[in-house]
Amino acid sequence: MSNEDLAVATAPTPPTVDNGWMSLQVVGKQCIASAVHEFELARAGGGSLPPAEPGAHITLLTPNGLTRRYSVCNRPGETAVYRIAVKREAQGLGGSRSLVDQVQMGDPVSV
């Protein structure tokens, strides 16, 4: 194996639909309670998302590289966005902190 092949083999794979991740865009963010933020995630170009059944969760890749599961808080039949509520845990491992502190409207996220 050449050095070029080795570099390609060890390069991290960016999140895409092809490798199990879907890129969404933050279209809404607001503080809804003490240390709790609601995020609205949608397809960047618009369009419907797969319906979220009651009790559904999504796995989200946080800015610091951790994956976290969040309950989808959609209204019945709503497919334009996924709504999640994130409690910022100051003493946690950093997933919720990085999401609340770093992700802003218009930013892409991988789910």
Side-chain angles (χ1 to χ4, degrees), residues 21 41 55-62 66-73 83-87 95-96 99 110-111:
W21 292 98
L41 312 174
H57 293 78
I58 58 173
T59 301
L60 189 141
L61 183 63
T62 64
L66 298 174
T67 57
R68 293 291 181 261
R69 290 181 52 82
Y70 294 102
S71 296
V72 179
C73 308
R83 296 175 196 279
I84 59 171
V86 178
K87 181 175 185 209
S96 65
L99 192 59
S110 296
V111 299

Side-chain angles (χ1 to χ4, degrees), residues 56-109:
H57 293 78
I58 58 173
T59 301
L60 189 141
L61 183 63
T62 64
N64 68 351
L66 298 174
T67 57
R68 293 291 181 261
R69 290 181 52 82
Y70 294 102
S71 296
V72 179
C73 308
N74 284 24
R75 296 174 187 91
E78 183 177 33
T79 60
V81 298
Y82 287 148
R83 296 175 196 279
I84 59 171
V86 178
K87 181 175 185 209
R88 185 184 185 282
E89 295 286 352
Q91 303 304 316
L93 297 176
S96 65
R97 273 196 322 268
S98 71
L99 192 59
V100 170
D101 295 350
Q102 296 175 29
V103 174
Q104 303 301 321
M105 291 275 296
D107 286 352
V109 293

